[in-house]
Amino acid sequence: MFNLVQALYETRSMADDHPDDERWQALREKVDHVLGRLTDQAGVGEPISPDMPVGRLDRDGPHAASEEADRAAAALMAVHDRPEPEQLELASAAVDDLADTLP
């Protein structure tokens, strides 16, 4: 699950590189929504790391099945190696698929 959170943060950072593009900002909002569902946003507990200032993974919250989480993390990591015009579409599809798997 940690790899998934890391991949989501890297995707969020990629969206931050396009502040004037509303499509990238929509992706960032989707990523923030998924991260909010996976992590403790109440500020309880220590941050995951200094680069990920949200709370720890929410053990009682909704979780993607391990196989689905691994697939989403792999898809998001692969997006970074693709030409920029393809990145937005592929990342959006991966985040949407992940959001659909969360209960």
Side-chain angles (χ1 to χ4, degrees):
M1 186 63 72
F2 182 78
N3 289 337
L4 174 59
V5 173
Q6 181 180 4
L8 286 165
Y9 266 91
E10 289 177 10
T11 302
R12 185 177 187 241
S13 177
M14 207 167 50
D16 287 343
D17 291 341
H18 301 87
D20 297 329
D21 188 328
E22 63 187 46
R23 298 169 304 154
W24 279 100
Q25 294 313 300
L27 172 61
R28 187 183 193 284
E29 289 176 15
K30 289 180 195 178
V31 168
D32 285 345
H33 178 74
V34 169
L35 282 168
R37 293 178 67 189
L38 295 174
T39 58
D40 175 10
Q41 296 292 310
V44 177
E46 299 174 19
I48 293 171
S49 80
D51 296 329
M52 298 179 196
V54 299
R56 294 191 177 275
L57 292 175
D58 185 354
R59 297 188 197 296
D60 298 323
H63 296 287
S66 178
E67 182 178 311
E68 294 161 340
D70 290 345
R71 189 176 319 126
L76 289 172
M77 296 304 283
V79 164
H80 299 279
D81 296 330
R82 301 300 294 254
E84 189 168 317
E86 297 174 21
Q87 289 177 336
L88 176 62
E89 181 180 336
L90 294 172
S92 291
V95 172
D96 287 342
D97 288 347
L98 175 61
D100 289 344
T101 66
L102 294 173

